[in-house]
Amino acid sequence: MVRRPVAVVVAAVLVVEALGVAAVNWFLGIVVDRQDMSLAGLDPDMMSTSSKIGGIVFGLYFAFCGLVALLVAVRDRPPAGFGRILLISAAVVHALLGAAAWGLVGWHAFLFMVVVLALIVLLLMTYDRQEGPAAEPRDAGPHDEGPVPVSGPPAPTTL
């Protein structure tokens, strides 16, 4: 099966990405603080603080997504509820970041974002199909009356 290895790889990539995003934003906050320059009259201390807070928030977001992927790998069950929504949102974020990275950073960053997007989608899709006893059709028991009709009985007419 490829499900568990893909989930482990997604978890590792998202945790490394969380650390990278947090470190880059923290570094940018330090650079803005040491330059002591304002952008369009904004307070440099506020820009530095907001960069650091943004790095922490996005780092925690990607780390939590990595934790969800790790739980998927450990349990060998599909993500459900909030975890599935979180992984779908991470896929959307990587698609948007990849589109922005193409123009701003270059094709290397775009390629990385697309690979992470593909891994997250692969994780979601490999657990989407059920295998085993749940996927097999069950036999009709003695109390089953067969398939349920798609439409109701014909409407009565008056002549």
Side-chain angles (χ1 to χ4, degrees):
M1 274 299 152
V2 298
R3 296 188 307 189
R4 278 191 171 176
V6 166
V8 169
V9 168
V10 168
V13 167
L14 286 174
V15 168
V16 168
E17 187 177 9
L19 294 174
V21 165
V24 165
N25 278 319
W26 195 270
F27 175 72
L28 289 175
I30 291 172
V31 168
V32 167
D33 194 28
R34 289 189 181 164
Q35 289 291 321
D36 201 31
M37 297 170 58
S38 68
L39 178 68
L42 294 174
D43 183 24
D45 292 330
M46 184 62 70
M47 289 191 309
S48 171
T49 304
S50 63
S51 176
K52 291 176 183 177
I53 290 172
I56 291 171
V57 167
F58 274 108
L60 289 174
Y61 168 71
F62 286 134
F64 193 60
C65 291
L67 177 67
V68 169
L70 185 64
L71 289 175
V72 166
V74 169
R75 295 178 181 165
D76 198 25
R77 290 190 307 189
F82 184 69
R84 185 169 182 84
I85 292 170
L86 197 65
L87 286 175
I88 291 171
S89 72
V92 170
V93 165
H94 280 87
L96 293 174
L97 286 176
W102 180 271
L104 297 175
V105 181
W107 67 272
H108 293 94
F110 171 76
L111 184 64
F112 175 76
M113 290 297 160
V114 169
V115 167
V116 176
L117 169 66
L119 285 171
I120 294 172
V121 170
L122 183 63
L123 169 69
L124 290 168
M125 296 303 291
T126 55
Y127 279 98
D128 198 27
R129 182 178 45 161
Q130 290 185 359
E131 296 176 0
E136 298 172 3
R138 63 181 185 94
D139 295 332
H143 300 291
D144 290 336
E145 300 194 11
V148 178
V150 177
S151 62
T157 59
T158 56
L159 294 174

